[in-house]
């Protein structure tokens, strides 16, 4: 009888069973994650997430006269020059908001000094608030339409054309002749956005160029049809 019982295998020890169960559970989770479809953000979610991570600068001229538009650019230059070092030192959008709110009076005084030095007496209103923006190209990136937090600087009656840039992360450039956002600045934007959100900014640019080409082609086809050329 004893020899017969010895033929039966010994029951596995408890630690070994725990190891087997843990390994099986890990493999199950890995399989679920592997086959789980990747979550795709909707255009609205992409815009909201981009807006949550940037602050725009919005400078509005008194009017569309050449003098008022030139004055707007001088105010813009002064604001960017005064903020570029401090804004570059902030690493979060919350920190940037707090810094801009703390400097709001200084920004207003600086703008008024520039206006006064150029022979004007326009008042200046400075605010940090949510505003709706249409689709806007900035350098070689295109930002979707939607509400964004912006440092708004309104000169005089603020009825003229505006100028804008991405103030945080610091992407503002002054020389519009070379309106391409540097790679170093783009890297700052990549760090604050998901890969899908950042790619959408470049994709929007490509789609805009394709539409522009299509419109030009349609006009050309219409012209050939009417003229027989």
């Amino acid at each position: 009888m004893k020899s017969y019982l010895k033929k039966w295998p010994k029951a596995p020890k408890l630690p070994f069973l725990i190891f087997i169960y843990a390994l099986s559970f890990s493999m199950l989770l890995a399989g679920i994650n592997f086959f789980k479809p990747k979550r795709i953000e909707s255009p609205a979610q992409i815009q909201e997430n981009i807006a949550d991570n940037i602050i725009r600068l919005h400078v509005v001229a008194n009017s569309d006269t050449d003098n008022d538009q030139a004055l707007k650019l001088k105010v813009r230059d002064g604001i960017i020059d005064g903020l570029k070092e401090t804004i570059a030192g902030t690493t979060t959008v919350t920190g940037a908001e707090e810094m801009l709110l703390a400097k709001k009076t200084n920004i207003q005084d600086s703008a008024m000094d520039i206006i006064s030095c150029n022979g004007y007496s326009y008042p200046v209103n400075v605010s940090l608030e949510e505003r709706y923006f249409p689709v806007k190209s900035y350098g070689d990136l295109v930002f979707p339409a939607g509400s964004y937090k912006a440092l708004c600087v309104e000169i005089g009656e603020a009825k003229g054309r505006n100028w804008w840039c991405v103030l945080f992360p610091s992407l503002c450039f002054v020389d519009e002749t070379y309106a391409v956002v540097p790679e170093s600045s783009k890297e700052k934007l990549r760090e604050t956005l998901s890969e899908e959100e950042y790619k959408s900014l470049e994709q929007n640019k490509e789609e805009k160029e394709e539409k522009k080409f299509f419109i030009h082609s349609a006009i050309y086809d219409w012209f050939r049809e009417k003229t027989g050329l």
Side-chain angles (χ1 to χ4, degrees):
M1 184 67 176
K2 291 181 179 179
S3 61
Y4 176 76
L5 291 174
K6 288 180 180 179
K7 292 180 181 180
W8 286 91
K10 293 182 178 180
K13 294 182 178 180
L14 184 60
F16 179 74
L17 286 175
I18 294 174
F19 171 75
I20 293 298
Y21 291 148
L23 181 61
S24 301
F25 185 68
S26 298
M27 293 177 66
L28 177 62
L29 289 179
I32 291 173
N33 289 330
F34 180 79
F35 289 106
K36 184 173 68 175
K38 183 179 179 181
R39 186 177 70 87
I40 298 176
E41 295 178 280
S42 68
Q45 288 173 324
I46 288 175
Q47 186 278 324
E48 289 175 4
N49 290 338
I50 292 173
D52 286 342
N53 288 282
I54 71 171
I55 299 176
R56 298 166 76 143
L57 171 62
H58 193 217
V59 184
V60 188
N62 176 68
S63 74
D64 281 337
T65 65
D66 290 343
N67 288 340
D68 281 347
Q69 287 295 311
L71 181 64
K72 172 193 72 178
L73 299 181
K74 290 178 180 178
V75 171
R76 170 204 69 181
D77 294 352
I79 291 172
I80 293 175
D81 187 59
L83 290 176
K84 62 184 179 182
E85 291 186 6
T86 51
I87 203 75
T90 56
T91 57
T92 66
V93 68
T94 302
E97 286 182 32
E98 292 174 353
M99 184 275 293
L100 291 173
L101 287 172
K103 289 184 172 292
K104 192 172 77 167
T105 301
N106 292 341
I107 295 169
Q108 185 176 25
D109 290 344
S110 175
M112 291 182 69
D113 286 344
I114 294 170
I115 291 169
S116 178
C117 289
N118 282 272
Y120 297 89
S121 57
Y122 298 138
V124 177
N125 181 55
V126 178
S127 61
L128 184 63
E129 60 185 68
E130 293 275 345
R131 285 199 176 182
Y132 178 84
F133 290 85
V135 176
K136 287 283 189 177
S137 297
Y138 186 67
D140 49 347
L141 301 175
V142 176
F143 288 79
S147 295
Y148 293 84
K149 182 153 286 186
L151 177 68
C152 304
V153 181
E154 297 176 322
I155 303 170
E157 296 184 357
K159 293 182 177 179
R161 295 189 305 275
N162 68 80
W163 184 93
W164 78 279
C165 72
V166 178
L167 189 60
F168 178 86
S170 184
L171 305 186
C172 290
F173 52 79
V174 172
D175 189 354
E176 296 184 357
T177 306
Y178 306 99
V180 177
V181 180
E183 285 301 321
S184 58
S185 297
K186 287 181 180 178
E187 190 60 35
K188 295 178 182 177
L189 192 58
R190 285 192 187 97
E191 292 173 358
T192 63
L193 303 177
S194 70
E195 182 179 359
E196 183 180 4
E197 290 158 5
Y198 180 80
K199 284 184 176 180
S200 73
L201 300 177
E202 295 180 325
Q203 184 179 352
N204 288 337
K205 180 70 174 180
E206 294 171 1
E207 290 175 354
K208 188 173 181 180
E209 292 298 326
E210 288 176 2
K211 289 179 181 178
K212 182 178 178 182
F213 176 76
F214 174 77
I215 292 171
H216 284 195
S217 299
I219 293 173
Y220 176 68
D221 291 342
W222 177 85
F223 179 77
R224 288 188 61 185
E225 181 182 347
K226 295 298 182 182
T227 60
L229 295 177

